[in-house]
Amino acid sequence: MSPKHFILTLLIMLCPIGMTAQTTITRNKPKPVVVKPKPHPKPAAKPKAKPTPQRTPQHTSQHSSTPRSISQSSTVSLSAEINKLFNNMVYVSGGTFTMGGTSEQGNEAENDEKPTHNVTLSSYYICKYEVTQALWRAVMGSNPSYFKGDNLPVEQVSWNDCQAFINRLNSYTGRNFRLPTEAEWEFAARGGNYSRRYKYSGSNYIDDVAWYYDNSGGRTHPVGTKQANELGLYDMSGNVWEWCSDWYGAYNSYSQTDPTGPYSGSRRVLRGGSWYCSAGSCHSSYRIGGPPDYSYYDLGLRLVLSQL
């Protein structure tokens, strides 16, 4: 066999091996990994983990002074919101009631709702609505809320923030608006002297009167869109928690008149439950406490006046 024929024969013999090797390489080549982009989270999604308290910046300038200049449109807005606030103040005739985990709360009454005790209150005025974002913005010039809307309750406000807001509101109005005491809040939530002894504020059926975890859709709702209680007050159960003036502390069994809570403490009282809470947190005697500088997007407030 000539050298030329030998080389040709060798090439013919090697071809199947090369093709097989090429086929093996092609089959074993890994497919490219396709990474799907993660969807953006919905703004109203509820966090599953317990929220971490967040520090709220100090508002010393808000306590001490009012803005140097206010535009005409802002002045009109402020005036309109203050007029609405006065028109929405509801008179609560003084009386005596049993405060704490009474029989209508059933087995849902917590240990800190006991012992029950008699409380006598003087008359006062309380707003039929939680403070709205429109009122807060008119007074403060800003809106800290997570869920935006003029007629939504203001939220993400700490107890300290509420004091800054009230101080400025009082400088505009010449009145003494304040947070309710815990006793005033509960008396009003129960319907005052017109109480029908409901479990929640205005009904034994929570869906009638409250925006809470099961029906809120993961957000706040405009104030006054559920049924009112016996005094014509809205959202005393659900929507947003409402700060009270008292330090949080244990109850005593003795009778009290116009109580204002412990002399000191580390947490302020919060009442009413919220859109983020289960039904069990929305009954009229349920109570928790929060640090004065703590804010979250289910914490708001309601205003009280001792005299109009």
Side-chain angles (χ1 to χ4, degrees):
M1 181 180 296
S2 66
K4 184 177 181 180
H5 288 165
F6 175 77
I7 294 171
L8 181 60
T9 302
L10 182 62
L11 289 174
I12 292 171
M13 293 173 64
L14 289 176
C15 277
I17 298 174
M19 292 175 65
T20 303
Q22 180 65 36
T23 302
T24 303
I25 293 171
T26 303
R27 287 177 180 175
N28 292 340
K29 184 179 180 181
K31 295 181 180 180
V33 178
V34 178
V35 180
K36 294 182 179 180
K38 295 181 179 179
H40 294 291
K42 295 180 180 180
K46 301 183 183 72
K48 298 299 182 183
K50 183 178 180 181
T52 302
Q54 58 191 37
R55 296 285 176 179
T56 303
Q58 296 296 317
H59 296 287
T60 52
S61 62
Q62 294 178 359
H63 283 282
S64 58
S65 64
T66 57
R68 292 184 179 181
S69 62
I70 305 174
S71 67
Q72 184 176 0
S73 60
S74 297
T75 304
V76 171
S77 175
L78 175 61
S79 176
E81 289 300 324
I82 288 176
N83 284 338
K84 284 197 293 185
L85 173 62
F86 278 114
N87 290 334
N88 289 329
M89 298 304 291
V90 174
Y91 180 69
V92 182
S93 179
T96 300
F97 77 109
T98 302
M99 186 171 178
T102 50
S103 59
E104 57 266 33
Q105 315 302 321
N107 58 8
E108 290 189 3
E110 304 284 346
N111 289 335
D112 67 348
E113 300 172 40
K114 303 170 184 176
T116 59
H117 49 287
N118 287 336
V119 172
T120 300
L121 292 175
S122 302
S123 301
Y124 58 100
Y125 294 84
I126 189 169
C127 190
K128 65 170 64 176
Y129 304 120
E130 294 163 330
V131 170
T132 64
Q133 294 174 31
L135 176 59
W136 185 281
R137 187 176 58 251
V139 172
M140 301 299 285
S142 61
N143 182 7
S145 304
Y146 181 78
F147 304 107
K148 301 294 186 185
D150 282 354
N151 208 35
L152 294 175
V154 70
E155 22 87 2
Q156 290 201 136
V157 291
S158 68
W159 190 91
N160 292 339
D161 294 331
C162 294
Q163 299 308 308
F165 166 78
I166 290 169
N167 287 342
R168 184 172 289 187
L169 175 64
N170 288 341
S171 73
Y172 288 141
T173 62
R175 303 300 176 91
N176 291 308
F177 286 98
R178 57 181 174 83
L179 294 176
T181 65
E182 185 175 18
E184 288 173 335
W185 190 97
E186 186 170 323
F187 185 55
R190 289 176 176 271
N193 293 323
Y194 301 98
S195 177
R196 297 174 185 170
R197 300 180 63 84
Y198 291 129
K199 182 174 185 176
Y200 307 103
S201 182
S203 179
N204 286 324
Y205 304 98
I206 188 169
D207 285 281
D208 291 345
V209 294
W211 294 110
Y212 70 114
Y213 189 89
D214 288 351
N215 69 5
S216 68
R219 59 169 299 120
T220 57
H221 288 262
V223 299
T225 50
K226 286 289 186 178
Q227 181 177 301
N229 77 351
E230 298 94 320
L231 289 171
L233 308 178
Y234 296 87
D235 301 306
M236 295 292 279
S237 291
N239 220 3
V240 293
W241 287 99
E242 299 176 15
W243 288 105
C244 293
S245 60
D246 310 41
W247 290 108
Y248 175 87
Y251 282 165
N252 295 301
S253 59
Y254 58 81
S255 299
Q256 302 167 55
T257 299
D258 292 327
T260 56
Y263 290 111
S264 62
S266 60
R267 293 178 290 164
R268 296 286 185 177
V269 172
L270 284 158
R271 286 302 206 105
S274 76
W275 62 266
Y276 184 66
C277 294
S278 66
S281 300
C282 297
H283 64 258
S284 295
S285 60
Y286 192 85
R287 58 198 298 260
I288 61 171
D293 61 353
Y294 176 60
S295 63
Y296 200 58
Y297 59 1
D298 66 346
L299 305 185
L301 73 155
R302 187 182 301 262
L303 294 171
V304 159
L305 271 176
S306 295
Q307 294 180 338
L308 271 179

